[in-house]
Amino acid sequence: MNMLEQRKASSMMVLGALLAAGCQQRVNLPADQADAYAIRVDPIVENMLAGLNAKDYPMHSRDFDQDMLNASDPVTFPQIYDEIIGVIGLYQSKALNRVETDGTFNAVIFDAVFEHEDRVVVRVVFRVNDPEHHISGLWFDSP
């Protein structure tokens, strides 16, 4: 299996794990718990978004878990940057919408404003049992 095939297989495993986790029942954390959790992970999320704005892969990926690091790399990062920042512009601000949990993962969902799109949903996923709050998943959704 060549390097590209290995990377694709690894990406598919990460996607499969996330999809399997997505099949579990998700519930919103109560507002006080959601706020407390969001406060703990906010510096991690801000750093990741600032790294994306700066087109700085080491900064952007600093808090990724191993699965996320395996699914992304400095070589493909410029393409990801172009697909996100090239379309919706630079990140400007965010507000907490909610925190969902399925008992294994917490998904922190933000309503974000980007330079060219003021209604972007940013979903950042963390493993519940990871005290260091490494990022396990990341999605951007704009209309």
Side-chain angles (χ1 to χ4, degrees):
M1 186 179 288
N2 68 34
M3 184 67 100
L4 181 59
E5 290 170 333
Q6 287 176 338
R7 190 165 304 283
K8 285 181 182 178
S10 177
S11 295
M12 292 305 289
M13 287 189 298
V14 171
L15 180 60
L18 290 173
L19 287 174
C23 293
Q24 296 179 16
Q25 179 69 25
R26 281 186 268 176
V27 297
N28 290 342
L29 286 179
D32 59 332
Q33 292 177 26
D35 290 343
Y37 190 79
I39 288 169
R40 285 196 304 272
V41 300
D42 191 66
I44 294 165
V45 174
E46 278 296 317
N47 179 77
M48 177 271 302
L49 291 168
L52 183 60
N53 268 3
K55 203 172 186 177
D56 182 335
Y57 177 77
M59 182 180 184
H60 173 70
S61 63
R62 180 189 76 189
D63 296 300
F64 283 5
D65 69 7
Q66 193 58 52
D67 289 336
M68 286 286 290
L69 290 171
N70 291 342
S72 66
D73 61 55
V75 174
T76 59
F77 179 69
Q79 178 183 351
I80 293 167
Y81 175 90
D82 291 342
E83 290 172 356
I84 297 171
I85 301 302
V87 174
I88 60 177
L90 295 172
Y91 161 72
Q92 295 178 340
S93 66
K94 67 181 178 351
L96 178 65
N97 180 303
R98 66 189 180 281
V99 178
E100 299 174 342
T101 189
D102 64 8
T104 303
F105 294 96
N106 284 342
V108 185
I109 297 115
F110 298 97
D111 296 321
V113 175
F114 283 73
E115 186 177 23
H116 305 303
E117 181 62 60
D118 62 357
R119 296 179 307 156
V120 178
V121 176
V122 178
R123 176 184 294 262
V124 187
V125 178
F126 302 89
R127 292 183 189 277
V128 170
N129 65 355
D130 179 3
E132 296 189 26
H133 305 298
H134 292 100
I135 296 172
S136 296
L138 173 63
W139 290 266
F140 297 85
D141 184 23
S142 66

PDB file of all heavy atoms in Angstrom, residues 90-119:
ATOM      1  N   LEU A  90     -11.688  35.024   6.171  1.00  0.00           N
ATOM      2  CA  LEU A  90     -11.023  34.834   7.452  1.00  0.00           C
ATOM      3  C   LEU A  90     -12.028  34.778   8.596  1.00  0.00           C
ATOM      4  O   LEU A  90     -13.050  35.463   8.580  1.00  0.00           O
ATOM      5  CB  LEU A  90     -10.020  35.965   7.712  1.00  0.00           C
ATOM      6  CG  LEU A  90      -8.835  36.032   6.757  1.00  0.00           C
ATOM      7  CD1 LEU A  90      -8.025  37.302   7.000  1.00  0.00           C
ATOM      8  CD2 LEU A  90      -7.956  34.793   6.880  1.00  0.00           C
ATOM      9  N   TYR A  91     -11.695  33.970   9.594  1.00  0.00           N
ATOM     10  CA  TYR A  91     -12.504  33.865  10.806  1.00  0.00           C
ATOM     11  C   TYR A  91     -12.465  35.198  11.547  1.00  0.00           C
ATOM     12  O   TYR A  91     -11.420  35.825  11.667  1.00  0.00           O
ATOM     13  CB  TYR A  91     -11.939  32.748  11.697  1.00  0.00           C
ATOM     14  CG  TYR A  91     -12.374  32.827  13.132  1.00  0.00           C
ATOM     15  CD1 TYR A  91     -13.678  32.529  13.499  1.00  0.00           C
ATOM     16  CD2 TYR A  91     -11.483  33.216  14.120  1.00  0.00           C
ATOM     17  CE1 TYR A  91     -14.087  32.607  14.824  1.00  0.00           C
ATOM     18  CE2 TYR A  91     -11.875  33.289  15.444  1.00  0.00           C
ATOM     19  CZ  TYR A  91     -13.174  32.989  15.789  1.00  0.00           C
ATOM     20  OH  TYR A  91     -13.569  33.077  17.096  1.00  0.00           O
ATOM     21  N   GLN A  92     -13.631  35.625  12.059  1.00  0.00           N
ATOM     22  CA  GLN A  92     -13.700  36.877  12.809  1.00  0.00           C
ATOM     23  C   GLN A  92     -14.172  36.697  14.239  1.00  0.00           C
ATOM     24  O   GLN A  92     -13.596  37.261  15.153  1.00  0.00           O
ATOM     25  CB  GLN A  92     -14.591  37.875  12.069  1.00  0.00           C
ATOM     26  CG  GLN A  92     -14.014  38.280  10.740  1.00  0.00           C
ATOM     27  CD  GLN A  92     -14.905  39.238   9.976  1.00  0.00           C
ATOM     28  OE1 GLN A  92     -16.099  39.364  10.214  1.00  0.00           O
ATOM     29  NE2 GLN A  92     -14.303  39.943   9.023  1.00  0.00           N
ATOM     30  N   SER A  93     -15.262  35.947  14.449  1.00  0.00           N
ATOM     31  CA  SER A  93     -15.784  35.791  15.806  1.00  0.00           C
ATOM     32  C   SER A  93     -16.687  34.569  15.866  1.00  0.00           C
ATOM     33  O   SER A  93     -17.069  34.011  14.850  1.00  0.00           O
ATOM     34  CB  SER A  93     -16.567  37.033  16.232  1.00  0.00           C
ATOM     35  OG  SER A  93     -17.735  37.181  15.435  1.00  0.00           O
ATOM     36  N   LYS A  94     -17.034  34.188  17.105  1.00  0.00           N
ATOM     37  CA  LYS A  94     -17.932  33.063  17.304  1.00  0.00           C
ATOM     38  C   LYS A  94     -18.712  33.257  18.593  1.00  0.00           C
ATOM     39  O   LYS A  94     -18.292  33.992  19.481  1.00  0.00           O
ATOM     40  CB  LYS A  94     -17.169  31.738  17.341  1.00  0.00           C
ATOM     41  CG  LYS A  94     -16.257  31.583  18.551  1.00  0.00           C
ATOM     42  CD  LYS A  94     -15.534  30.270  18.496  1.00  0.00           C
ATOM     43  CE  LYS A  94     -14.574  30.050  19.632  1.00  0.00           C
ATOM     44  NZ  LYS A  94     -14.247  31.104  20.539  1.00  0.00           N
ATOM     45  N   ALA A  95     -19.858  32.583  18.650  1.00  0.00           N
ATOM     46  CA  ALA A  95     -20.675  32.571  19.872  1.00  0.00           C
ATOM     47  C   ALA A  95     -21.125  31.134  20.084  1.00  0.00           C
ATOM     48  O   ALA A  95     -21.488  30.432  19.127  1.00  0.00           O
ATOM     49  CB  ALA A  95     -21.887  33.491  19.722  1.00  0.00           C
ATOM     50  N   LEU A  96     -21.126  30.700  21.324  1.00  0.00           N
ATOM     51  CA  LEU A  96     -21.546  29.344  21.638  1.00  0.00           C
ATOM     52  C   LEU A  96     -23.022  29.170  21.310  1.00  0.00           C
ATOM     53  O   LEU A  96     -23.858  29.985  21.714  1.00  0.00           O
ATOM     54  CB  LEU A  96     -21.299  29.045  23.125  1.00  0.00           C
ATOM     55  CG  LEU A  96     -21.743  27.653  23.592  1.00  0.00           C
ATOM     56  CD1 LEU A  96     -20.922  26.564  22.915  1.00  0.00           C
ATOM     57  CD2 LEU A  96     -21.616  27.561  25.111  1.00  0.00           C
ATOM     58  N   ASN A  97     -23.332  28.122  20.576  1.00  0.00           N
ATOM     59  CA  ASN A  97     -24.712  27.759  20.297  1.00  0.00           C
ATOM     60  C   ASN A  97     -25.166  26.713  21.303  1.00  0.00           C
ATOM     61  O   ASN A  97     -26.158  26.896  21.988  1.00  0.00           O
ATOM     62  CB  ASN A  97     -24.838  27.243  18.861  1.00  0.00           C
ATOM     63  CG  ASN A  97     -26.246  26.840  18.501  1.00  0.00           C
ATOM     64  OD1 ASN A  97     -26.852  26.002  19.147  1.00  0.00           O
ATOM     65  ND2 ASN A  97     -26.771  27.444  17.444  1.00  0.00           N
ATOM     66  N   ARG A  98     -24.395  25.602  21.392  1.00  0.00           N
ATOM     67  CA  ARG A  98     -24.737  24.539  22.325  1.00  0.00           C
ATOM     68  C   ARG A  98     -23.573  23.559  22.405  1.00  0.00           C
ATOM     69  O   ARG A  98     -22.660  23.597  21.582  1.00  0.00           O
ATOM     70  CB  ARG A  98     -25.999  23.810  21.888  1.00  0.00           C
ATOM     71  CG  ARG A  98     -25.868  23.033  20.602  1.00  0.00           C
ATOM     72  CD  ARG A  98     -27.206  22.502  20.095  1.00  0.00           C
ATOM     73  NE  ARG A  98     -27.081  21.759  18.865  1.00  0.00           N
ATOM     74  CZ  ARG A  98     -26.956  22.286  17.658  1.00  0.00           C
ATOM     75  NH1 ARG A  98     -26.914  23.613  17.521  1.00  0.00           N
ATOM     76  NH2 ARG A  98     -26.858  21.527  16.585  1.00  0.00           N
ATOM     77  N   VAL A  99     -23.652  22.666  23.383  1.00  0.00           N
ATOM     78  CA  VAL A  99     -22.721  21.548  23.497  1.00  0.00           C
ATOM     79  C   VAL A  99     -23.559  20.281  23.532  1.00  0.00           C
ATOM     80  O   VAL A  99     -24.456  20.153  24.363  1.00  0.00           O
ATOM     81  CB  VAL A  99     -21.834  21.650  24.752  1.00  0.00           C
ATOM     82  CG1 VAL A  99     -20.917  20.430  24.865  1.00  0.00           C
ATOM     83  CG2 VAL A  99     -21.014  22.937  24.746  1.00  0.00           C
ATOM     84  N   GLU A 100     -23.261  19.372  22.610  1.00  0.00           N
ATOM     85  CA  GLU A 100     -23.946  18.087  22.561  1.00  0.00           C
ATOM     86  C   GLU A 100     -22.998  17.004  23.063  1.00  0.00           C
ATOM     87  O   GLU A 100     -21.784  17.120  22.895  1.00  0.00           O
ATOM     88  CB  GLU A 100     -24.356  17.724  21.132  1.00  0.00           C
ATOM     89  CG  GLU A 100     -25.307  18.694  20.489  1.00  0.00           C
ATOM     90  CD  GLU A 100     -25.573  18.381  19.032  1.00  0.00           C
ATOM     91  OE1 GLU A 100     -24.791  17.630  18.401  1.00  0.00           O
ATOM     92  OE2 GLU A 100     -26.565  18.901  18.514  1.00  0.00           O
ATOM     93  N   THR A 101     -23.564  15.961  23.646  1.00  0.00           N
ATOM     94  CA  THR A 101     -22.753  14.831  24.070  1.00  0.00           C
ATOM     95  C   THR A 101     -23.469  13.537  23.748  1.00  0.00           C
ATOM     96  O   THR A 101     -24.704  13.486  23.726  1.00  0.00           O
ATOM     97  CB  THR A 101     -22.410  14.902  25.577  1.00  0.00           C
ATOM     98  OG1 THR A 101     -21.447  13.887  25.882  1.00  0.00           O
ATOM     99  CG2 THR A 101     -23.648  14.743  26.446  1.00  0.00           C
ATOM    100  N   ASP A 102     -22.679  12.511  23.489  1.00  0.00           N
ATOM    101  CA  ASP A 102     -23.233  11.162  23.341  1.00  0.00           C
ATOM    102  C   ASP A 102     -22.616  10.233  24.377  1.00  0.00           C
ATOM    103  O   ASP A 102     -22.776   9.029  24.318  1.00  0.00           O
ATOM    104  CB  ASP A 102     -23.029  10.628  21.924  1.00  0.00           C
ATOM    105  CG  ASP A 102     -21.563  10.441  21.557  1.00  0.00           C
ATOM    106  OD1 ASP A 102     -20.673  10.574  22.429  1.00  0.00           O
ATOM    107  OD2 ASP A 102     -21.280  10.156  20.382  1.00  0.00           O
ATOM    108  N   GLY A 103     -21.893  10.834  25.342  1.00  0.00           N
ATOM    109  CA  GLY A 103     -21.226  10.055  26.374  1.00  0.00           C
ATOM    110  C   GLY A 103     -19.798   9.700  26.017  1.00  0.00           C
ATOM    111  O   GLY A 103     -18.981   9.459  26.893  1.00  0.00           O
ATOM    112  N   THR A 104     -19.482   9.678  24.734  1.00  0.00           N
ATOM    113  CA  THR A 104     -18.126   9.403  24.268  1.00  0.00           C
ATOM    114  C   THR A 104     -17.463  10.660  23.739  1.00  0.00           C
ATOM    115  O   THR A 104     -16.288  10.898  23.973  1.00  0.00           O
ATOM    116  CB  THR A 104     -18.144   8.320  23.160  1.00  0.00           C
ATOM    117  OG1 THR A 104     -18.781   7.145  23.670  1.00  0.00           O
ATOM    118  CG2 THR A 104     -16.747   7.973  22.698  1.00  0.00           C
ATOM    119  N   PHE A 105     -18.238  11.467  23.023  1.00  0.00           N
ATOM    120  CA  PHE A 105     -17.740  12.710  22.436  1.00  0.00           C
ATOM    121  C   PHE A 105     -18.606  13.881  22.869  1.00  0.00           C
ATOM    122  O   PHE A 105     -19.822  13.731  23.019  1.00  0.00           O
ATOM    123  CB  PHE A 105     -17.769  12.639  20.893  1.00  0.00           C
ATOM    124  CG  PHE A 105     -16.833  11.634  20.305  1.00  0.00           C
ATOM    125  CD1 PHE A 105     -17.277  10.366  19.964  1.00  0.00           C
ATOM    126  CD2 PHE A 105     -15.501  11.952  20.083  1.00  0.00           C
ATOM    127  CE1 PHE A 105     -16.416   9.433  19.414  1.00  0.00           C
ATOM    128  CE2 PHE A 105     -14.632  11.026  19.530  1.00  0.00           C
ATOM    129  CZ  PHE A 105     -15.092   9.757  19.196  1.00  0.00           C
ATOM    130  N   ASN A 106     -17.965  15.035  23.049  1.00  0.00           N
ATOM    131  CA  ASN A 106     -18.669  16.299  23.224  1.00  0.00           C
ATOM    132  C   ASN A 106     -18.454  17.110  21.953  1.00  0.00           C
ATOM    133  O   ASN A 106     -17.315  17.275  21.508  1.00  0.00           O
ATOM    134  CB  ASN A 106     -18.128  17.103  24.409  1.00  0.00           C
ATOM    135  CG  ASN A 106     -18.580  16.563  25.736  1.00  0.00           C
ATOM    136  OD1 ASN A 106     -19.551  15.807  25.828  1.00  0.00           O
ATOM    137  ND2 ASN A 106     -17.886  16.935  26.799  1.00  0.00           N
ATOM    138  N   ALA A 107     -19.544  17.592  21.376  1.00  0.00           N
ATOM    139  CA  ALA A 107     -19.468  18.453  20.198  1.00  0.00           C
ATOM    140  C   ALA A 107     -19.838  19.859  20.634  1.00  0.00           C
ATOM    141  O   ALA A 107     -20.944  20.098  21.118  1.00  0.00           O
ATOM    142  CB  ALA A 107     -20.425  17.954  19.119  1.00  0.00           C
ATOM    143  N   VAL A 108     -18.894  20.777  20.481  1.00  0.00           N
ATOM    144  CA  VAL A 108     -19.122  22.175  20.830  1.00  0.00           C
ATOM    145  C   VAL A 108     -19.471  22.885  19.533  1.00  0.00           C
ATOM    146  O   VAL A 108     -18.669  22.908  18.590  1.00  0.00           O
ATOM    147  CB  VAL A 108     -17.880  22.792  21.502  1.00  0.00           C
ATOM    148  CG1 VAL A 108     -18.166  24.203  21.967  1.00  0.00           C
ATOM    149  CG2 VAL A 108     -17.421  21.928  22.678  1.00  0.00           C
ATOM    150  N   ILE A 109     -20.677  23.431  19.492  1.00  0.00           N
ATOM    151  CA  ILE A 109     -21.192  24.030  18.267  1.00  0.00           C
ATOM    152  C   ILE A 109     -21.250  25.546  18.436  1.00  0.00           C
ATOM    153  O   ILE A 109     -21.858  26.044  19.394  1.00  0.00           O
ATOM    154  CB  ILE A 109     -22.574  23.451  17.897  1.00  0.00           C
ATOM    155  CG1 ILE A 109     -22.423  21.954  17.609  1.00  0.00           C
ATOM    156  CG2 ILE A 109     -23.152  24.142  16.681  1.00  0.00           C
ATOM    157  CD1 ILE A 109     -23.129  21.093  18.550  1.00  0.00           C
ATOM    158  N   PHE A 110     -20.596  26.234  17.510  1.00  0.00           N
ATOM    159  CA  PHE A 110     -20.531  27.686  17.533  1.00  0.00           C
ATOM    160  C   PHE A 110     -21.226  28.264  16.306  1.00  0.00           C
ATOM    161  O   PHE A 110     -21.178  27.671  15.226  1.00  0.00           O
ATOM    162  CB  PHE A 110     -19.081  28.168  17.506  1.00  0.00           C
ATOM    163  CG  PHE A 110     -18.260  27.748  18.682  1.00  0.00           C
ATOM    164  CD1 PHE A 110     -17.434  26.631  18.613  1.00  0.00           C
ATOM    165  CD2 PHE A 110     -18.297  28.462  19.867  1.00  0.00           C
ATOM    166  CE1 PHE A 110     -16.660  26.248  19.692  1.00  0.00           C
ATOM    167  CE2 PHE A 110     -17.531  28.092  20.956  1.00  0.00           C
ATOM    168  CZ  PHE A 110     -16.707  26.967  20.873  1.00  0.00           C
ATOM    169  N   ASP A 111     -21.833  29.413  16.479  1.00  0.00           N
ATOM    170  CA  ASP A 111     -22.283  30.235  15.361  1.00  0.00           C
ATOM    171  C   ASP A 111     -21.149  31.224  15.124  1.00  0.00           C
ATOM    172  O   ASP A 111     -20.839  32.038  16.006  1.00  0.00           O
ATOM    173  CB  ASP A 111     -23.578  30.970  15.709  1.00  0.00           C
ATOM    174  CG  ASP A 111     -24.724  29.999  15.958  1.00  0.00           C
ATOM    175  OD1 ASP A 111     -24.824  28.984  15.244  1.00  0.00           O
ATOM    176  OD2 ASP A 111     -25.519  30.256  16.875  1.00  0.00           O
ATOM    177  N   ALA A 112     -20.527  31.131  13.961  1.00  0.00           N
ATOM    178  CA  ALA A 112     -19.327  31.922  13.703  1.00  0.00           C
ATOM    179  C   ALA A 112     -19.541  32.910  12.563  1.00  0.00           C
ATOM    180  O   ALA A 112     -20.361  32.701  11.677  1.00  0.00           O
ATOM    181  CB  ALA A 112     -18.152  31.005  13.384  1.00  0.00           C
ATOM    182  N   VAL A 113     -18.754  33.966  12.632  1.00  0.00           N
ATOM    183  CA  VAL A 113     -18.740  34.987  11.591  1.00  0.00           C
ATOM    184  C   VAL A 113     -17.375  34.923  10.914  1.00  0.00           C
ATOM    185  O   VAL A 113     -16.335  34.947  11.580  1.00  0.00           O
ATOM    186  CB  VAL A 113     -18.981  36.397  12.188  1.00  0.00           C
ATOM    187  CG1 VAL A 113     -18.848  37.469  11.116  1.00  0.00           C
ATOM    188  CG2 VAL A 113     -20.329  36.465  12.886  1.00  0.00           C
ATOM    189  N   PHE A 114     -17.426  34.807   9.589  1.00  0.00           N
ATOM    190  CA  PHE A 114     -16.218  34.849   8.775  1.00  0.00           C
ATOM    191  C   PHE A 114     -16.325  36.066   7.862  1.00  0.00           C
ATOM    192  O   PHE A 114     -17.386  36.676   7.736  1.00  0.00           O
ATOM    193  CB  PHE A 114     -16.065  33.553   7.963  1.00  0.00           C
ATOM    194  CG  PHE A 114     -15.569  32.392   8.784  1.00  0.00           C
ATOM    195  CD1 PHE A 114     -16.398  31.763   9.699  1.00  0.00           C
ATOM    196  CD2 PHE A 114     -14.270  31.932   8.649  1.00  0.00           C
ATOM    197  CE1 PHE A 114     -15.946  30.696  10.463  1.00  0.00           C
ATOM    198  CE2 PHE A 114     -13.802  30.869   9.412  1.00  0.00           C
ATOM    199  CZ  PHE A 114     -14.639  30.244  10.316  1.00  0.00           C
ATOM    200  N   GLU A 115     -15.243  36.420   7.253  1.00  0.00           N
ATOM    201  CA  GLU A 115     -15.149  37.622   6.438  1.00  0.00           C
ATOM    202  C   GLU A 115     -16.244  37.722   5.365  1.00  0.00           C
ATOM    203  O   GLU A 115     -16.820  38.790   5.168  1.00  0.00           O
ATOM    204  CB  GLU A 115     -13.761  37.646   5.793  1.00  0.00           C
ATOM    205  CG  GLU A 115     -13.403  38.867   5.028  1.00  0.00           C
ATOM    206  CD  GLU A 115     -11.973  38.790   4.509  1.00  0.00           C
ATOM    207  OE1 GLU A 115     -11.414  37.678   4.359  1.00  0.00           O
ATOM    208  OE2 GLU A 115     -11.425  39.870   4.233  1.00  0.00           O
ATOM    209  N   HIS A 116     -16.541  36.616   4.691  1.00  0.00           N
ATOM    210  CA  HIS A 116     -17.513  36.639   3.596  1.00  0.00           C
ATOM    211  C   HIS A 116     -18.810  35.914   3.923  1.00  0.00           C
ATOM    212  O   HIS A 116     -19.686  35.824   3.072  1.00  0.00           O
ATOM    213  CB  HIS A 116     -16.915  36.024   2.324  1.00  0.00           C
ATOM    214  CG  HIS A 116     -15.643  36.655   1.884  1.00  0.00           C
ATOM    215  ND1 HIS A 116     -15.526  37.998   1.599  1.00  0.00           N
ATOM    216  CD2 HIS A 116     -14.405  36.124   1.705  1.00  0.00           C
ATOM    217  CE1 HIS A 116     -14.284  38.264   1.246  1.00  0.00           C
ATOM    218  NE2 HIS A 116     -13.585  37.154   1.310  1.00  0.00           N
ATOM    219  N   GLU A 117     -18.927  35.399   5.124  1.00  0.00           N
ATOM    220  CA  GLU A 117     -20.107  34.626   5.501  1.00  0.00           C
ATOM    221  C   GLU A 117     -20.343  34.805   6.998  1.00  0.00           C
ATOM    222  O   GLU A 117     -19.486  34.472   7.806  1.00  0.00           O
ATOM    223  CB  GLU A 117     -19.898  33.148   5.178  1.00  0.00           C
ATOM    224  CG  GLU A 117     -21.063  32.261   5.511  1.00  0.00           C
ATOM    225  CD  GLU A 117     -22.322  32.605   4.740  1.00  0.00           C
ATOM    226  OE1 GLU A 117     -22.305  32.548   3.504  1.00  0.00           O
ATOM    227  OE2 GLU A 117     -23.321  32.939   5.400  1.00  0.00           O
ATOM    228  N   ASP A 118     -21.495  35.345   7.346  1.00  0.00           N
ATOM    229  CA  ASP A 118     -21.736  35.634   8.767  1.00  0.00           C
ATOM    230  C   ASP A 118     -22.589  34.574   9.464  1.00  0.00           C
ATOM    231  O   ASP A 118     -22.976  34.753  10.610  1.00  0.00           O
ATOM    232  CB  ASP A 118     -22.363  37.019   8.946  1.00  0.00           C
ATOM    233  CG  ASP A 118     -23.726  37.148   8.283  1.00  0.00           C
ATOM    234  OD1 ASP A 118     -24.172  36.189   7.637  1.00  0.00           O
ATOM    235  OD2 ASP A 118     -24.325  38.231   8.400  1.00  0.00           O
ATOM    236  N   ARG A 119     -22.835  33.454   8.800  1.00  0.00           N
ATOM    237  CA  ARG A 119     -23.628  32.386   9.410  1.00  0.00           C
ATOM    238  C   ARG A 119     -22.954  31.034   9.183  1.00  0.00           C
ATOM    239  O   ARG A 119     -23.479  30.172   8.497  1.00  0.00           O
ATOM    240  CB  ARG A 119     -25.039  32.367   8.837  1.00  0.00           C
ATOM    241  CG  ARG A 119     -25.830  33.628   9.152  1.00  0.00           C
ATOM    242  CD  ARG A 119     -27.205  33.587   8.541  1.00  0.00           C
ATOM    243  NE  ARG A 119     -27.091  33.294   7.109  1.00  0.00           N
ATOM    244  CZ  ARG A 119     -28.030  32.752   6.367  1.00  0.00           C
ATOM    245  NH1 ARG A 119     -29.173  32.423   6.891  1.00  0.00           N
ATOM    246  NH2 ARG A 119     -27.843  32.541   5.083  1.00  0.00           N
TER     247      ARG A 119
END
